Amino acid sequence: MMHHVIERAKELVTSKLNIVETADDWGLLLEEINGIDEWVQLSQYYAPRQTTTKLVERPETPSSLPIKMIQERKEEVERIVEQRYSYTFERQLKGGSLREWPNSHVSETEIRDWNLEHGMEVRVQVLHQDERRTSLEILAVVATDQVKPLAERIVFEKCIVKNHGIIEATIDGPLQDETGKPFYYTTPLEDMRFFQLKAGQLVDLVMWKGHPETLTIVWKHAFHYEVPTMTELPARDVSSGSPESATASPANKQAKTGRYDKMMQRKPKAKKVKKERRLREKKVQQLERLDTTTLPGQPIEFVDKTALDFASYDGMRLVIVGNEQQRAVYRDFFAETGVELIHLGGDAQAAKKIACLAKKTDAIVVVKSRVSHAAAAHVLVQAKKHDIPFAIERLDGRRSLYTACQQQLEKAMVQRLLKDER
């Protein structure tokens, strides 16, 4: 493709040279040549890379043929970008790459899914490509003839992560370097956040041989590690033959675990005991009758139809607190008896009026189920302060309320007669 561009550039320059006559024309020619040069450079940049370029010519033709016809008979073999059937996999510290593909990258997940080893022949396809590298996806493993262990890469499998990212042991024992010396690894903060590490998780550490500064986390397992709980039986004295003589030595006693080990210990859940189902049996004993009247022994079927007498309490003042919905009913009832009725609301704001009415009040009745706690407390304070008979009546009906009013008015009349005698 590039020889077409070069031939075309030569033709353009030659055609421009034929029209140069003055110095100004020469200056314009130089500018056009610069533009042609930029065009050639861009064409070279965007043209595909060629491995071999070969011109195949036909046998010599008679000189009688025109030159154009001779040039047309020349055939050019275009270079084709060669694609390989398979590539050689090379293991890196993290992930891997392909030997024949520059800037290629195979993720650690792909390597573990396919169990890839250094030297395998694999088939791939492009997963993602940018300016830095090309991410590849494994399609198949073609050959394993050139597999060889990578001695420079040291792997510590299934390391236990403790609190604050400290790693000092694996599930098989303490973490040891090449010489067998135990050591510990503190996970950097960025790795803690990237892998979202917590206490009890298992990770794989990797490093290059002889370069401990390259130690890093390469993989996080999906499960947690729990320290198995083991109970040792006390040593038994075989000579005596009696279980009572068996004494546990201090070495057999289980040592106290550390703070981190206690957090990772398995906590067994107690099995719930299934409760027996209780069958509901029919009651044989009959229910007793409920007494709701003031006289003992009278059942609920008893209805007291005798009228209440308020004639002797004419001119006395009665205060009822609560149950505002029945204000009109109470007012009509006490209007015929001659008793002065003052009905206050069940809220605390309305009950404050009792302070100015207490000195001229003879009896007070509070409806318990229709009054607030603050209002009831305020009324009781005034009743005790001025020695006024009061009752707290649960609202069972009008009859019970009227009976309570009659009883308190009677107490007030008795108090008045005692004062008069003195």
Side-chain angles (χ1 to χ4, degrees):
M1 298 236 345
M2 278 304 300
H3 74 280
H4 290 294
V5 176
I6 295 173
E7 293 295 333
R8 180 59 180 165
K10 289 180 179 180
E11 293 177 2
L12 292 174
V13 173
T14 305
S15 63
K16 298 297 181 181
L17 284 173
N18 296 332
I19 61 174
V20 175
E21 295 179 356
T22 62
D24 296 337
D25 295 340
W26 180 259
L28 294 174
L29 176 62
L30 292 178
E31 293 180 2
E32 292 181 358
I33 290 175
N34 291 333
I36 295 173
D37 180 64
E38 292 180 2
W39 171 61
V40 172
Q41 296 296 333
L42 290 175
S43 300
Q44 182 182 5
Y45 178 78
Y46 287 106
R49 297 180 181 178
Q50 299 181 358
T51 55
T52 58
T53 303
K54 186 178 180 182
L55 294 178
V56 180
E57 298 182 358
R58 297 286 184 180
E60 294 182 359
T61 55
S63 58
S64 60
L65 295 176
I67 299 176
K68 293 184 178 179
M69 295 181 63
I70 296 175
Q71 292 179 353
E72 289 177 358
R73 290 184 179 183
K74 292 181 180 180
E75 296 180 357
E76 177 186 3
V77 179
E78 296 286 342
R79 185 203 53 178
I80 300 174
V81 178
E82 185 179 356
Q83 293 184 357
R84 299 177 60 91
Y85 176 75
S86 63
Y87 299 88
T88 306
F89 173 75
E90 291 185 347
R91 194 68 161 95
Q92 304 294 336
L93 189 65
K94 283 187 177 182
S97 62
L98 303 181
R99 185 180 302 170
E100 299 83 7
W101 196 319
N103 298 330
S104 59
H105 175 72
V106 181
S107 64
E108 190 72 22
T109 305
E110 289 287 327
I111 295 174
R112 292 179 178 263
D113 290 343
W114 290 89
N115 293 326
L116 298 183
E117 297 292 340
H118 184 75
M120 283 185 174
E121 298 287 335
V122 295
R123 293 184 62 188
V124 296
Q125 69 176 2
V126 177
L127 187 63
H128 176 72
Q129 188 173 12
D130 54 13
E131 298 177 355
R132 295 188 305 159
R133 66 183 183 182
T134 304
S135 299
L136 303 173
E137 182 182 5
I138 305 298
L139 296 179
V141 177
V142 178
T144 59
D145 301 335
Q146 301 179 4
V147 173
K148 60 179 181 179
L150 196 61
E152 294 80 6
R153 186 173 181 269
I154 302 176
V155 182
F156 304 94
E157 296 183 350
K158 296 182 180 180
C159 301
I160 306 171
V161 179
K162 295 186 178 181
N163 282 0
H164 311 294
I166 298 175
I167 302 175
E168 58 185 5
T170 64
I171 60 174
D172 299 327
L175 199 62
Q176 297 179 355
D177 58 4
E178 307 166 9
T179 60
K181 182 179 179 181
F183 71 98
Y184 69 93
Y185 174 70
T186 304
T187 307
L189 182 60
E190 54 270 14
D191 289 350
M192 291 284 292
R193 294 176 177 175
F194 178 77
F195 290 101
Q196 298 181 0
L197 297 181
K198 296 180 181 179
Q201 290 182 332
L202 298 182
V203 297
D204 290 349
L205 298 178
V206 65
M207 61 175 285
W208 292 119
K209 186 175 182 180
H211 298 277
E213 68 277 2
T214 61
L215 185 65
T216 182
I217 296 176
V218 69
W219 185 256
K220 182 187 78 169
H221 295 274
F223 52 88
H224 289 252
Y225 177 75
E226 296 180 354
V227 179
T229 57
M230 300 177 61
T231 56
E232 298 182 359
L233 297 176
R236 183 178 179 182
D237 190 2
V238 183
S239 60
S240 61
S242 59
E244 291 79 11
S245 60
T247 57
S249 61
N252 293 332
K253 293 183 179 179
Q254 188 177 5
K256 295 183 179 180
T257 58
R259 181 164 59 94
Y260 300 118
D261 296 336
K262 288 182 179 179
M263 296 177 63
M264 292 188 289
Q265 279 184 354
R266 183 180 298 172
K267 298 180 181 179
K269 295 183 179 179
K271 187 176 180 181
K272 295 183 179 179
V273 180
K274 188 176 180 180
K275 296 182 180 180
E276 296 182 0
R277 186 177 178 181
R278 297 178 59 186
L279 299 178
R280 182 174 295 179
E281 299 178 358
K282 188 176 180 180
K283 294 183 178 180
V284 181
Q285 185 180 2
Q286 296 182 356
L287 297 176
E288 298 179 357
R289 293 185 176 182
L290 181 64
D291 295 335
T292 58
T293 57
T294 56
L295 299 178
Q298 292 182 351
I300 193 171
E301 289 84 359
F302 176 78
V303 179
D304 188 5
K305 297 184 179 180
T306 58
L308 297 175
D309 185 15
F310 287 90
S312 57
Y313 313 123
D314 189 10
M316 300 183 69
R317 175 178 288 183
L318 173 67
V319 176
I320 297 177
V321 183
N323 198 13
E324 294 179 306
Q325 298 178 355
Q326 299 293 328
R327 176 174 295 179
V329 178
Y330 299 158
R331 182 186 58 202
D332 296 341
F333 176 80
F334 285 101
E336 300 177 357
T337 59
V339 177
E340 183 183 357
L341 175 66
I342 298 177
H343 196 171
L344 300 180
D347 55 337
Q349 195 66 24
K352 288 182 180 180
K353 298 179 181 178
I354 194 66
C356 58
L357 300 174
K359 295 182 180 180
K360 299 180 181 181
T361 300
D362 296 317
I364 299 175
V365 177
V366 179
V367 183
K368 181 180 180 181
S369 57
R370 297 292 189 273
V371 70
S372 64
H373 294 282
H378 193 72
V379 171
L380 295 181
V381 168
Q382 297 296 327
K384 293 178 180 180
K385 179 179 179 180
H386 297 282
D387 195 15
I388 302 173
F390 67 92
I392 299 177
E393 181 69 17
R394 193 184 69 172
L395 185 59
D396 288 334
R398 299 175 189 173
R399 177 78 182 189
S400 61
L401 180 65
Y402 296 156
T403 303
C405 294
Q406 184 183 21
Q407 293 175 357
Q408 302 309 315
L409 290 174
E410 184 177 357
K411 292 180 181 180
M413 181 173 289
V414 172
Q415 289 183 0
R416 183 183 296 180
L417 295 175
L418 294 176
K419 288 181 180 179
D420 295 341
E421 290 179 359
R422 293 176 184 175

